């Protein structure tokens, strides 16, 4: 079994982390596991194991024949049978399929609401799906959408999983008081709903109890980022709210936290919640996408509607004010992750799907 993971960038993001995790985990389970990046390298390259073959295609335009040729050469030289394309990299996989029909394509949809909403390049995706041998989705809403809209007969639900990097070097010192840090691990962009989180933090007046909020994720220095920083300044939160940008030592950062929060307007299957749980954080989470399956309200965490700032304020207040609640919920979440979303469980299911595709090829 020889498989290539394909992704457009290695900047810190959920789909990107999963592509790296898949390549690493398969590296010790199948004959050949590799990773190809089409457009942009990034921090996550450091997390790719040295034993995993890697190629950067340096794609510069939508249709880039030089990048396709480089990918085709890598696939042929390494006798790769399956290309597992994550997110928007499906377009490059389809161009490869046209140039090299031998390969099988799996498309992995991570992104929740975007691909199920009208106008999100659906015409291109639907046309491309004729070249897919299977689709992997991260929640049941996406499965139903793919079965209705894509020209592929095999659609499989497969949960994400998280890996704790035991060799990670601690680089980031998180500010604030021990035992009173709230971590939000999300790139600074509108769907991640940081504005609601900042409003809730302000309204609860958490800073009066020495609580602090830490925003960790890519800062594009754009209008959205400027709005958040202006809000922090206007509400005199500079001593209690901190923006770190992209960081390579996520596990080390989470180990310094107390509460993990996710406020997104939409999600597919957020790896962030799994990372919070494995790090032992108590979690307050949006209830969109697959979040409600991981964070079962009152059992493995507290949930809220991402348009309801009062609800988020109340949940933060409750979690911050009850140490025993934090302890019981964090332990319950860690147990659920180990039982249902472990690396071993997901990899076994994935390899079975690979085998089914290869067997179909031989018929």
């Amino acid at each position: 079994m020889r498989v290539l993971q394909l992704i457009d960038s290695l900047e810190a993001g959920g789909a990107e982390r999963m592509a790296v995790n898949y390549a690493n985990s398969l590296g010790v389970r199948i004959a050949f596991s590799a990773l190809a990046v089409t457009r942009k390298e990034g921090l996550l390259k450091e997390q790719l194991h040295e034993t995993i073959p890697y190629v950067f295609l340096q794609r510069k335009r939508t249709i880039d024949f030089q990048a396709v040729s480089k990918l085709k050469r890598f696939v042929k030289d390494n006798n790769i049978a399956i290309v597992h394309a994550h997110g928007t990299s499906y377009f490059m996989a389809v161009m490869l399929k046209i140039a090299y029909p031998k390969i099988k394509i799996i498309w992995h949809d991570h992104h929740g609401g975007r691909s199920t909403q009208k106008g999100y390049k659906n015409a291109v995706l639907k046309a491309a799906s004729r070249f897919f041998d299977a689709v992997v989705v991260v929640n049941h809403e996406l499965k139903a959408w793919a079965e209705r809209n894509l020209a592929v007969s095999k659609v499989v639900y497969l949960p994400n999983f998280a890996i704790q990097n035991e060799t990670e070097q601690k680089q980031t010192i998180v500010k604030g008081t021990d035992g009173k840090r709230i971590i939000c691990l999300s790139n600074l962009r509108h769907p991640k709903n940081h504005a609601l989180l900042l409003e809730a933090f302000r309204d609860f007046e958490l800073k009066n109890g020495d609580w602090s909020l830490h925003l960790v994720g890519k800062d594009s220095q754009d209008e959205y980022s400027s709005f958040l920083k202006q809000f922090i300044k206007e509400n005199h939160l500079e001593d209690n709210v901190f923006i770190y940008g992209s960081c390579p030592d996520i596990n080390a950062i989470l180990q310094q936290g107390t509460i993990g929060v996710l406020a997104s307007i939409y999600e597919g299957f957020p790896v962030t919640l799994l990372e919070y749980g494995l790090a032992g954080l108590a979690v307050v989470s949006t209830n969109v996408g697959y979040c409600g399956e991981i964070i079962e309200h009152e059992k493995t965490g507290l949930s809220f509607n991402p348009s309801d700032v009062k609800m988020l304020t109340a949940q933060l207040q409750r979690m911050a004010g009850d140490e025993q609640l934090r302890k019981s919920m964090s332990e319950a979440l860690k147990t659920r992750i180990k039982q249902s979303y472990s690396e071993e469980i997901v990899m076994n299911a994935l390899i079975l799907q690979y085998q089914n595709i290869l067997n179909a090829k031989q018929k």
Side-chain angles (χ1 to χ4, degrees):
M1 188 176 294
R2 305 178 71 81
V3 182
L4 173 70
Q5 306 299 317
L6 185 67
I7 190 73
D8 280 337
S9 91
L10 286 178
E11 294 184 332
E16 292 80 4
R17 290 207 295 280
M18 290 314 303
V20 172
N21 285 351
Y22 272 42
N24 286 339
S25 296
L26 289 168
V28 295
R29 290 176 168 86
I30 65 175
F32 183 87
S33 172
L35 177 70
V37 175
T38 70
R39 288 189 180 275
K40 191 173 183 180
E41 296 182 308
L43 282 176
L44 292 176
K45 186 178 179 182
E46 298 177 17
Q47 296 183 15
L48 186 67
H49 295 171
E50 292 181 357
T51 56
I52 302 300
Y54 170 80
V55 60
F56 177 40
L57 304 177
Q58 297 178 292
R59 180 182 173 193
K60 294 180 172 61
R61 57 191 68 86
T62 301
I63 298 177
D64 189 326
F65 293 111
Q66 187 172 350
V68 174
S69 178
K70 188 174 183 179
L71 179 59
K72 179 182 176 182
R73 185 163 58 251
F74 183 84
V75 167
K76 289 185 68 175
D77 288 348
N78 291 287
N79 196 27
I80 290 166
I82 295 174
V83 173
H84 189 145
H86 298 261
T88 53
S89 72
Y90 72 81
F91 191 79
M92 176 64 84
V94 167
M95 288 193 289
L96 172 67
K97 177 84 170 180
I98 293 170
Y100 188 58
K102 280 183 63 176
I103 56 110
K104 294 286 186 177
I105 297 176
I106 294 176
W107 178 53
H108 203 136
D109 186 5
H110 296 269
H111 287 126
R114 282 189 287 175
S115 61
T116 60
Q117 292 172 358
K118 294 180 180 179
Y120 180 64
K121 300 182 179 177
N122 278 342
V124 175
L125 176 57
K126 289 176 182 179
S129 70
R130 298 179 181 279
F131 295 89
F132 300 164
D133 295 279
V135 171
V136 173
V137 297
V138 295
N139 65 42
H140 299 295
E141 176 190 4
L142 288 177
K143 187 174 190 293
W145 183 88
E147 289 171 341
R148 287 195 310 268
N149 292 279
L150 301 184
V152 59
S153 60
K154 190 176 184 62
V155 181
V156 179
Y157 158 72
L158 201 63
N160 285 337
F161 66 94
I163 300 174
Q164 285 185 300
N165 187 351
E166 304 295 341
T167 63
E168 180 181 271
Q169 295 295 315
K170 181 178 179 181
Q171 300 180 34
T172 306
I173 305 299
V174 181
K175 301 173 184 178
T177 303
D178 286 345
K180 292 192 172 185
R181 299 187 183 105
I182 301 171
I183 308 288
C184 178
L185 180 58
S186 296
N187 293 336
L188 298 191
R189 53 190 182 87
H190 181 265
K192 298 301 182 180
N193 210 17
H194 297 86
L196 187 90
L197 177 56
L198 288 174
E199 192 176 345
F201 185 86
R202 178 201 64 190
D203 291 350
F204 176 33
E205 297 186 343
L206 282 162
K207 67 176 185 177
N208 294 339
D210 291 330
W211 282 88
S212 54
L213 175 62
H214 307 267
L215 307 182
V216 181
K218 183 183 177 183
D219 182 354
S220 298
Q221 306 291 333
D222 55 10
E223 184 177 347
Y224 179 71
S225 169
S226 297
F227 170 79
L228 297 178
K229 292 169 185 175
Q230 186 64 27
F231 183 97
I232 292 168
K233 183 177 180 181
E234 289 178 354
N235 289 277
H236 311 292
L237 297 173
E238 298 97 322
D239 294 333
N240 295 85
V241 179
F242 306 97
I243 297 176
Y244 296 81
S246 295
C247 298
D249 55 337
I250 295 302
N251 184 52
I253 289 171
L254 295 181
Q255 294 295 335
Q256 299 172 69
T258 310
I259 297 171
V261 62
L262 185 71
S264 306
I265 297 168
Y266 63 75
E267 283 285 353
F269 186 121
V271 184
T272 295
L273 293 180
L274 303 183
E275 292 175 327
Y276 288 166
L278 290 179
L281 273 61
V283 174
V284 176
S285 172
T286 176
N287 59 10
V288 300
Y290 198 83
C291 297
E293 299 292 328
I294 306 168
I295 304 303
E296 187 178 354
H297 186 57
E298 301 284 354
K299 292 185 178 180
T300 57
L302 298 177
S303 63
F304 65 94
N305 185 316
S307 63
D308 191 337
V309 67
K310 290 182 178 179
M311 190 177 184
L312 173 54
T313 302
Q315 304 298 41
L316 287 174
Q317 183 176 28
R318 186 175 168 203
M319 193 69 88
D322 191 335
E323 184 177 357
Q324 184 55 44
L325 180 70
R326 295 198 300 270
K327 185 174 186 293
S328 64
M329 287 192 172
S330 64
E331 289 175 352
L333 178 57
K334 183 175 284 190
T335 298
R336 172 163 295 183
I337 291 169
K338 290 181 177 179
Q339 289 177 345
S340 302
Y341 307 113
S342 72
E343 177 183 2
E344 193 68 27
I345 290 171
V346 176
M347 283 296 101
N348 288 343
L350 176 67
I351 290 170
L352 178 62
Q353 296 304 325
Y354 287 162
Q355 289 171 339
N356 289 340
I357 289 171
L358 292 175
N359 290 337
K361 177 182 177 181
Q362 295 166 0
K363 290 179 181 179

